[in-house]
Amino acid sequence: MCGRFVNLLPTEAMARLFEAVPGNDLPDGERYNICPTNMITTAVSEDGQRRLRAMRWGFLPHWYKTPTDGPLIINARAEGIATKPAFREAIRSRRCLVPASGFFEWTKGAEGARLPWYIRPADAGPMVMAGVWQDWEREGARMTTVAIVTCAAGGGLEALHHRMPVILAAEDWPLWLGESGHGAAVLMRPSPEGSLAWHRVDPAVNSNRATGPELIEPMADG
């Protein structure tokens, strides 16, 4: 799964990366501990133009009467996504790219302690995760919400967790965004061997209030 992630890319860098027009309400600055319900930057393709849009991380199905009317949906499992009522329309026509620098995963230590790991591209470049989005509106309140698509872990990451976000290579972005035809389902697969690297980080990141570059620094014994 993906429950926390990092994005150190400035808005200008993301606009260049995706050749996209940035919105006016994007969260900016280095973000070391992005948590569910935070606003995040995404890239979408609309009317022949890529745009950067701010979305709430936590997908709200149209039948939710309030944002807390059901479970917080931060991930969408690739398996069955095309038939699940919450996602079947979004996966067909509302796909997006979620830029990141890396994400966190946890293993269990002695006596059940949560041991955090920081996972990033092995080449230290940007990471682009697959997302699906949904506009939600009730009684005049409106927000655009997003879930990160996940698949079975691969590339050696299975040792840490059985799930991982779907990470898209640059050549796959047009297909995922629907710019180059149909068939995006083939992209929902694990990352190849050697494409990711990871290391232990300080348990301080276990708090959703923690922030700062020390959260992604390797532990001495990690």
Side-chain angles (χ1 to χ4, degrees):
M1 63 177 294
C2 180
R4 304 269 191 90
F5 70 97
V6 175
N7 187 2
L8 307 181
L9 297 169
T11 295
E12 295 79 6
M14 290 185 282
R16 289 194 301 270
L17 180 68
F18 298 121
E19 299 180 344
V21 176
N24 297 322
D25 58 347
L26 300 173
D28 203 1
E30 296 182 339
R31 306 177 72 197
Y32 289 91
N33 191 8
I34 298 172
C35 302
T37 75
N38 287 171
M39 297 301 290
I40 65 173
T41 298
T42 69
V44 300
S45 184
E46 300 174 328
D47 301 322
Q49 173 68 64
R50 288 184 185 174
R51 302 183 186 278
L52 298 183
R53 294 185 57 184
M55 299 186 187
R56 173 194 185 264
W57 186 19
F59 190 97
L60 295 178
H62 65 82
W63 60 81
Y64 276 27
K65 296 179 180 179
T66 71
T68 57
D69 199 33
L72 180 61
I73 305 173
I74 61 172
N75 295 150
R77 293 174 65 95
E79 302 87 349
I81 192 173
T83 58
K84 289 187 179 296
F87 303 122
R88 60 189 176 199
E89 291 300 323
I91 192 61
R92 292 189 187 104
S93 58
R94 293 190 301 275
R95 298 189 296 269
C96 63
L97 306 174
V98 180
S101 301
F103 65 97
F104 296 104
E105 197 49 79
W106 282 261
T107 56
K108 286 187 178 180
E111 300 179 357
R114 297 181 74 223
L115 307 179
W117 297 76
Y118 181 56
I119 301 145
R120 58 172 178 79
D123 63 4
M127 173 183 292
V128 177
M129 300 180 289
V132 291
W133 63 274
Q134 165 93 6
D135 281 330
W136 179 88
E137 186 171 10
R138 279 290 187 280
E139 299 179 356
R142 177 172 178 152
M143 65 180 78
T144 303
T145 67
V146 62
I148 293 170
V149 181
T150 66
C151 62
L157 196 59
E158 309 93 317
L160 297 184
H161 199 273
H162 66 288
R163 305 290 297 176
M164 67 177 295
V166 171
I167 300 171
L168 301 172
E171 59 267 24
D172 295 329
W173 300 346
L175 183 57
W176 185 255
L177 291 177
E179 298 168 341
S180 58
H182 303 287
V186 302
L187 304 178
M188 293 188 288
R189 58 180 183 262
S191 297
E193 194 76 31
S195 62
L196 298 174
W198 50 89
H199 56 260
R200 276 281 313 281
V201 293
D202 195 286
V205 75
N206 292 354
S207 169
N208 58 14
R209 297 182 179 180
T211 188
E214 64 275 9
L215 297 183
I216 63 173
E217 292 176 359
M219 288 187 66
D221 59 349

